[in-house]
Amino acid sequence: MSDRPLLLEIITALEEQGLDRDEYQLQRMIDAEALERLVDSTGPQTDLEVRFSVSKFRVVVTSADVAVLKTS
């Protein structure tokens, strides 16, 4: 993952899928600071995976990556 804050990584990943920031309120869905602390507390060999939905997308956060998957 990059050196950018996790929240920005999530927003960027959602925008890359075509979801505008005004289409959701992420702060109502997750506690971004708590999620970042959780991810930062794990090592690269940890199998941590956090999933949550934003609109029609599933966001998957691991210690190494943020991925956005379109749900059907």
Side-chain angles (χ1 to χ4, degrees), residues 21 23-24 35 39 41 43 50-51 54 60 68-70:
R21 288 183 194 194
E23 293 182 64
Y24 62 92
L35 179 58
V39 171
S41 72
V50 178
R51 294 174 175 250
V54 176
V60 181
V68 176
L69 312 168
K70 190 169 185 177

Side-chain angles (χ1 to χ4, degrees), residues 27-40:
Q27 71 275 10
R28 290 187 177 184
M29 297 174 190
I30 63 165
D31 181 337
E33 288 181 22
L35 179 58
E36 188 154 18
R37 284 193 309 269
L38 176 65
V39 171
D40 287 346

Side-chain angles (χ1 to χ4, degrees), residues 53-68:
S53 295
V54 176
S55 186
K56 59 186 176 218
F57 299 97
R58 171 79 56 181
V59 179
V60 181
V61 178
T62 67
S63 58
D65 193 25
V66 172
V68 176

Side-chain angles (χ1 to χ4, degrees), residues 7 10-12 14-15 19-29 54-55:
L7 180 60
I10 294 169
I11 291 170
T12 300
L14 288 168
E15 287 177 345
L19 193 62
D20 293 330
R21 288 183 194 194
D22 61 346
E23 293 182 64
Y24 62 92
Q25 294 192 4
L26 199 56
Q27 71 275 10
R28 290 187 177 184
M29 297 174 190
V54 176
S55 186

